[in-house]
Amino acid sequence: MVTERTRWWRAAGAVAAGALPCLAFPTPALWWFAYVALVPWMLLLRSAPTGRRAALEGWLGGAGFIVAVHHWLLPSLHVFLLPVALLLGVLWIPWALLVRELLGGAPHGWRAAAALVLVPAGWLLSELARSWQGLGGPWGLLGASQWQVPPALRLASVGGVWLVSLLVVAVNCALVLLVAVPRARVPAVAAVAGCAVLTGVVWLWLPRPEASGGVLRVAVVQPGLMADGPDGASGPTTAGTTGTTGTTATAAAAAAADAAQRRFDAQERLTGTLVGRRVDLVVWGESSVGADLAARPDLSRRLAALSARVGAPLLVNVDARRSDRPGIYKSSVLVGPQGPTGERYDKMRLVPFGEYVPARAVLGWATSVGKAAGEDRMRGAAPVVMGLPDGTRIGPLVCFESAFPDMSRELTRMGAAVLVAQSSTSTFQHSWAPAQHASLGALRAAENGRPFVHATLTGVSAVYGPSGGRIGPALSTSASTAAVYELPLARGTTLFVRFGNWPGGAAVLALAAYCALRGARAVRPGSPAPEPSAPPARTVRGSAARPGR
């Protein structure tokens, strides 16, 4: 009999077990832990006495996972992070029901084999759902924890981060069978061996990105924190002033403008140190320019003169109210010796609450309890590929757009030879966020077979080669410098670029086939009842209850 106290302990255990996978991501970066991190949660779910209980523990575990991998948002969202986590935790309920149905009791034969396919597919379904920007975007995908594992990066070139997630969950599922179901050890061992063989085949025989023979020398300018003033993700004109007096708002705007000017001056000074170092492109971070260049010709002239001195175009990021249309935009702007070249990319996917408030009429109160955007930024219309003087084409992304596999894939299909993400995580400077954000560049590089530059205002900045391996040292959150990296260019396309997220499609088809089979059995006359998935009940004497006793 399950007591009320046991229910509470199980609920707490579900939250804790759901949070465990966060240790596989940077900063802890225990990548190997991802292959066992789901085991406690899955063991709990398979022993749930009812489907309703499994759904509850799946929901609570999902909420625990969201809080754990987004805990660095607490200074900005405060208590609002909890309802967000509870909302997103619902996405793990179907997976929890699959775990109980397929792993509960004593699965063997077809049910154990089906679990090794369908349980990973169910997990991937939750990742696909929350990757929609309206639900926050694909931050903390389980496969992304393998960003520094070369064989996993090779798998990413075949099926993106999604294929890596499937493999990681399949190994966890096999371990559950090994631990809890002795009769299913043969399919469990076969599954682990199959994952190893698949990875080995991809590693040994899949063609690597073909070097084109070219090298692009890219300089990353990281000014570091600006003391005594707001810094980073919000430009001088974007800070929310909800609930403030006119005097307070004016003072805040003046302080932000001063910080933006000091940041511009620092970047200008650091870029000046690149003179004579033969660079092909200089990249500044997100919100590196706090005023529209058309409205501030003095800044435009300074950038043009700087480009002429260095001998390379500058890719800056303007975070300001535009002079040619209403609203605030975040825009990657290419500036040459003659000024802005006219090539501009406006950020398309905005950070929920940080850059816009979803359903502001309903959720606008979030601005009073955290650092939510006081005014929504405007979205760009389409991706843009920019051309450098030597003919190399670059694909810009802004901030957490680097988390979306489809965006970098689209830029590669448009002809980008180098992917560049301009970012700033200064609001979360002393948290796990900067390192985790920088790690995403390795996945995007491997998926597309293109070098990836992750340039930030305050660290962590990092550069990756076409296979996802890091090039040169990363710039830490304490660095204020301009660093030059030599990027080997590559040609050809990866399987992920050709076929996209085919693992996601395969997962959906497998789950649909399973649901159709269950439905057909349910309506078939005289069909046998499904095998019980819960562990056998115990009598008061401790012996297993059997029919007829």
Side-chain angles (χ1 to χ4, degrees):
M1 180 179 179
V2 179
T3 66
E4 190 66 24
R5 184 176 182 181
T6 301
R7 292 191 182 96
W8 280 106
W9 276 112
R10 287 183 63 96
V15 174
L20 283 177
C22 76
L23 298 176
F25 296 93
T27 297
L30 304 176
W31 62 266
W32 53 268
F33 186 64
Y35 294 92
V36 299
L38 297 179
V39 171
W41 191 8
M42 294 169 72
L43 289 173
L44 184 70
L45 292 172
R46 71 177 294 273
S47 67
T50 65
R52 179 177 296 182
R53 188 70 202 183
L56 174 64
E57 291 168 1
W59 175 45
L60 293 175
F65 177 82
I66 292 296
V67 170
V69 297
H70 295 86
H71 70 274
W72 42 271
L73 284 172
L74 281 169
S76 295
L77 291 184
H78 296 294
V79 296
F80 198 72
L81 180 59
L82 183 58
V84 169
L86 291 173
L87 171 65
L88 295 178
V90 172
L91 299 176
W92 275 270
I93 290 179
W95 176 74
L97 294 173
L98 274 172
V99 170
R100 179 182 182 273
E101 177 66 27
L102 296 172
L103 294 177
H108 61 278
W110 76 266
R111 194 150 68 93
L116 291 165
V117 174
L118 296 173
V119 169
W123 179 276
L124 193 61
L125 191 66
S126 70
E127 291 198 338
L128 292 171
R130 69 187 180 88
S131 293
W132 177 50
Q133 190 206 344
L135 291 178
W139 188 275
L141 302 183
L142 196 58
S145 66
Q146 307 302 295
W147 67 278
Q148 55 185 330
V149 182
L153 292 174
R154 296 285 289 151
L155 286 174
S157 72
V158 176
V161 67
W162 317 108
L163 182 59
V164 184
S165 287
L166 279 176
L167 180 139
V168 171
V169 181
V171 172
N172 276 271
C173 187
L175 290 177
V176 170
L177 290 172
L178 285 172
V179 169
V181 190
R183 296 172 63 189
R185 285 176 180 170
V186 171
V189 171
V192 174
C195 290
V197 169
L198 171 64
T199 304
V201 168
V202 170
W203 175 260
L204 292 174
W205 283 293
L206 192 75
R208 285 166 168 74
E210 183 181 356
S212 66
V215 173
L216 192 75
R217 289 176 57 85
V218 175
V220 173
V221 175
Q222 181 178 298
L225 286 171
M226 297 293 105
D228 303 320
D231 195 15
S234 294
T237 63
T238 64
T241 57
T242 303
T244 63
T245 65
T247 301
T248 303
T250 301
D258 178 65
Q261 185 60 55
R262 287 186 287 110
R263 183 167 58 240
F264 186 97
D265 294 342
Q267 293 166 131
E268 186 178 37
R269 182 178 67 256
L270 290 170
T271 304
T273 66
L274 299 170
V275 174
R277 298 182 65 180
R278 297 183 297 105
V279 297
D280 300 306
L281 175 67
V282 179
V283 183
W284 290 12
E286 179 188 11
S287 304
S288 49
V289 178
D292 184 64
L293 294 179
R296 290 288 302 275
D298 58 318
L299 295 182
S300 182
R301 288 192 295 270
R302 287 172 64 179
L303 290 171
L306 193 58
S307 172
R309 286 174 56 205
V310 174
L314 313 178
L315 184 68
V316 301
N317 189 268
V318 178
D319 182 2
R321 196 174 302 278
R322 289 184 63 161
S323 58
D324 59 340
R325 63 184 65 175
I328 300 167
Y329 287 81
K330 278 193 177 180
S331 306
S332 300
V333 178
L334 194 64
V335 181
Q338 307 303 318
T341 64
E343 296 190 278
R344 176 186 188 121
Y345 166 66
D346 297 324
K347 185 177 183 181
M348 298 170 61
R349 295 184 181 172
L350 305 178
V351 180
F353 298 100
E355 293 170 339
Y356 78 103
V357 175
R360 182 178 288 273
V362 177
L363 302 177
W365 58 270
T367 60
S368 64
V369 297
K371 298 178 181 178
E375 178 181 349
D376 292 348
R377 284 178 172 83
M378 308 299 289
R379 302 177 189 273
V384 174
V385 172
M386 303 176 179
L388 301 182
D390 66 354
T392 303
R393 305 182 73 192
I394 63 171
L397 299 164
V398 182
C399 191
F400 95 137
E401 288 182 331
S402 65
F404 292 86
D406 65 301
M407 295 196 72
S408 53
R409 175 175 177 258
E410 179 62 23
L411 290 170
T412 302
R413 291 168 64 88
M414 291 172 64
V418 177
L419 302 170
V420 181
Q422 297 172 294
S423 180
S424 172
T425 49
S426 58
T427 304
F428 316 105
Q429 188 75 354
H430 303 294
S431 72
W432 294 1
Q436 189 171 345
H437 197 180
S439 72
L440 296 175
L443 273 298
R444 303 294 87 84
E447 287 169 345
N448 296 279
R450 297 291 184 269
F452 193 100
V453 178
H454 181 81
T456 73
L457 290 180
T458 61
V460 174
S461 297
V463 177
Y464 303 92
S467 296
R470 182 177 287 165
I471 296 176
L475 304 182
S476 71
T477 53
S478 63
S480 177
T481 187
V484 179
Y485 300 86
E486 290 193 353
L487 277 61
L489 302 181
R491 56 173 171 247
T493 58
T494 64
L495 292 178
F496 176 72
V497 171
R498 291 181 186 176
F499 302 112
N501 182 17
W502 61 264
V508 171
L509 287 176
L511 292 169
Y514 174 70
C515 292
L517 181 62
R518 288 296 307 272
R521 286 184 174 181
V523 300
R524 185 185 305 162
S527 59
E531 182 179 345
S533 58
R538 297 282 172 176
T539 67
V540 292
R541 295 181 181 179
S543 58
R546 293 181 176 86
R549 290 191 61 181

